[in-house]
Amino acid sequence: MAARFIGLYQRTDSGPPLRSCKQLPDGQRSAAQTQHHIRVCNKAAAVLSGVLRMSQSVPGKLCWFLHFRVMLSNADEIIEMQMRNDSTDPRSGATFYQRYHTLEDIYDWINRTAKDYPNTVKVILVGSSHEKRPLYALKLSLNNRPNKKAMWIDCGIHAREWISPAFCLFFVHYSLLFYNQNQAMTQILDNMDVYVLPVMNPDGYKYTWTNDRMWRKNRFPKKGTPCIGVDLNRNFDANWCTRGASDYPCSEIYCGAFPESEPESQAVANFLRSHKDSIQIYLSIHSYSQMLLMPYSCTMDEAENHSELYEMVKQAAENIRRYYRNIYTYGPGAKTIYLAPGGSDDWAHMLGIKYSFTFELQDRGRYGFLLPPSHIQGACNEALTAVKTIALKVMEKSQASTSSRQTV
Ligand code: 9B3
Ligand code: ZN
Ligand code: ZN
């Protein structure tokens, strides 16, 4: 049964963690920004990132009062509009990269892109999902220089963060179009190959288009519980399943049965392990909250190259602010967003990919995961600025170190 998503609600109390709840009466949909309280019983629900989500019924008789404020009373309409927008609406002047796309459209786009750029784009099958969907990465290789370094970018770990796959598509398009046009992009692509995985969680992404727009996890069915899905960004082997993750399968931050228990996270981990000598930069794209995060999220300890990483995210945020007048906060995940174990960026850093980051794209909560298509362009440009800033800085460092090695 499809979960009914009613609106965006922000909890204004500090009550118990919510596990059961009941649908809101329709009359409470309007009245934006006013306070409400309701009694909620016997429905699985979650309050995460300011979003109240109601899904399947759960046994038991748990009820409590929930205090909340309506953030977006017309969420249903917004969701419907964003899906309609996928088929080219002649009235909207939006191009392909200014819209959200179904999983099928993204697979078509991957094939088309590889066909259109046979000399520079290769499709790599890095694995497959629980429901046996392929995990395709694109390898962008703009010239054949020997011993090129590489950058990895993954999108769509979390199903509902639609701006993330949209960024991966935009990034590939921009790279192919602006190589030899944009100076920074040319320099970057001359020096490194880029692997782009547009949708790391295809089962979840598909599910957000068909059943539940607010779905986060993959679609692993846990035997013996009514609950589905592992949080792929809690499933990596970095202080796995300690504080900030949950071993309760119904939780939105369920860590899975063991590290890399999920085919999606295992596929990415295997690929990174076998390419760790060339991959210098790891980037994972999420939303929302406008943050440029660096290791660690899984401990309060500082990464051994903390100051180097901090300088990079700081400069990236400054550039975004200068060019787009938008604010991004930055720093180690544990201190900037929350303490959370099992994330891909921390794991990649521990593997030896020293320049490892997670970006949280637009916005800061107005639309949250329901970022309107008209904001895609701006969000992507900001993230691109951060990617360029970081990649150029890494190149500068490795060039400095190779030339100093040469002079010894
Ligand atoms: C979480 C972790 Cl565990 C990490 N290593 N880096 C970033 C985050 C934040 C994202 C998450 O998975 O909660 C934000 Se959607
Ligand atoms: Zn995320
Ligand atoms: Zn997020």
Side-chain angles (χ1 to χ4, degrees), residues 154-157 161-169 198 285-287 361:
D154 59 57
C155 293
I157 286 190
E161 299 167 10
W162 281 12
I163 187 61
S164 169
F167 173 75
C168 268
L169 271 54
I285 308 296
H286 291 249
S287 76
L361 308 194

Side-chain angles (χ1 to χ4, degrees), residues 242-274:
T242 52
R243 196 151 74 88
S246 171
D247 58 5
Y248 174 55
C250 303
S251 164
E252 287 279 53
I253 50 172
Y254 176 46
C255 59
F258 51 88
E260 293 178 30
S261 59
E262 302 310 292
E264 299 88 354
S265 40
Q266 195 187 63
V268 170
N270 282 340
F271 187 88
L272 294 174
R273 265 191 291 266
S274 61

